[in-house]
Amino acid sequence: MSIRRYTNNKFSVKKFTTPGVRNYKDNLFSLRRFTAPGFGPIGPPFRIFLSSDTWIVPPGVSTISYLIVAGGGGGGVAGGGGGGGGVRISNSHSVSPGTSYTISVGAGGSSASGSNSGFFVTTSGGGAVWGTGGGGGANDTFLGGGFAGGSGGGGGVSNQPGAWGPNSPGGLGNAGAYSPAEGFDGGAGFFNTGTKGVGGGGGAGGVGGGSSTNFWGGPIIAGNGGIGIFSTITGSNTGFAGGGGGAIDTPAGSGGFGHFICGGANGGTAGVTSAGTPAVSNRGGGGGGATTNGGSGVVIVKWG
């Protein structure tokens, strides 16, 4: 048996010349395909797009499955957690053999909303399917709340004297108005005797948590990011598009937790001790409050 290895910074392939075994592996997913004389591979082939590219439908393929995850929203400046990127899923999408598709993979937002991910027929622009970038988290003085997106960004606070209690709402999710929904709303902010906590970003599987306090005058607890969504399109159960956690503005409280297993980032302590954590690349999670970036998206196509 001989082995040839091809590698770059994101993708590594070992090719075994012995008939029957081929292994493909990248930094997120792996697939082994076993063949035997007279039989095809066990499990359908798929392709993972970590960046924008083109894809030509193979001969004989008329139906594909896909997972589209848009870029996650960035955490707000001292504010709300970013919303997870919009997620689109289909197990029966019709295509024509030989057709070239342009694949677009959205970037995560930087203190702003993420970019859309999707695909369309290269020659005509038709047959387009898109997921909407996650909404950016609000700043703590942004009265309009979190930004809308695939999942909405976490809401801020009014920063007005005496404005105790819930404040600016989270951004609306499912900005593409799809059915089923591509994501959910962000959580609202909360103001308590000078301490400001903001909402967590929404996720593809649930709303972001609102900021709150345990008791009158107690420490602020920033909102957690909303749950993401899990997919087994590659054969592994992988989470995507979790919301980012909200931030607070004092060490007396606690930043919200991002839904990290689905790529979301934790919120920080804005302007005092720490920034939030970054979201995971190619999982479409929202950035944590205190200006961390959202995670880039991904497009996965499976056929056969």
Side-chain angles (χ1 to χ4, degrees):
M1 178 178 69
S2 63
I3 300 175
R4 288 180 290 170
R5 183 178 183 90
Y6 304 83
T7 184
N8 62 27
N9 63 336
K10 285 190 175 179
F11 188 80
S12 176
V13 177
K14 288 183 179 178
K15 184 176 181 181
F16 297 83
T17 57
T18 297
V21 180
R22 287 182 290 171
N23 184 65
Y24 301 82
K25 186 175 182 182
D26 67 19
N27 63 332
L28 290 178
F29 316 96
S30 66
L31 169 68
R32 289 187 177 181
R33 298 175 62 195
F34 297 88
T35 61
F39 295 90
I42 299 174
F46 60 83
R47 184 169 173 187
I48 302 166
F49 296 91
L50 304 179
S51 59
S52 298
D53 205 338
T54 58
W55 178 68
I56 298 176
V57 181
V61 174
S62 59
T63 304
I64 63 170
S65 300
Y66 63 72
L67 170 71
I68 295 172
V69 183
V77 178
V87 174
R88 306 290 307 282
I89 297 173
S90 175
N91 295 317
S92 58
H93 184 77
S94 296
V95 294
S96 297
T99 301
S100 176
Y101 281 86
T102 296
I103 310 294
S104 180
V105 176
S110 178
S111 299
S113 296
S115 300
N116 298 347
S117 291
F119 59 76
F120 56 89
V121 176
T122 302
T123 55
S124 67
V129 182
W130 292 102
T132 311
N139 298 324
D140 67 347
T141 55
F142 183 68
L143 300 182
F147 291 90
S151 289
V157 296
S158 71
N159 205 28
Q160 301 299 312
W164 185 91
N167 281 271
S168 299
L172 297 178
N174 196 29
Y178 300 120
S179 179
E182 60 178 333
F184 291 84
D185 298 350
F190 194 93
F191 183 88
N192 181 23
T193 61
T195 299
K196 300 178 286 294
V198 292
V207 298
S211 179
S212 62
T213 182
N214 288 328
F215 53 89
W216 182 276
I220 287 288
I221 301 170
N224 295 330
I227 188 173
I229 197 167
F230 291 85
S231 171
T232 58
I233 190 170
T234 66
S236 299
N237 193 27
T238 306
F240 299 91
I248 56 168
D249 70 346
T250 172
S254 57
F257 292 103
H259 198 259
F260 186 77
I261 196 171
C262 291
N266 293 339
T269 307
V272 180
T273 57
S274 66
T277 59
V280 181
S281 297
N282 296 117
R283 300 277 286 279
T291 68
T292 63
N293 295 345
S296 51
V298 67
V299 175
I300 304 174
V301 178
K302 182 173 71 173
W303 63 95

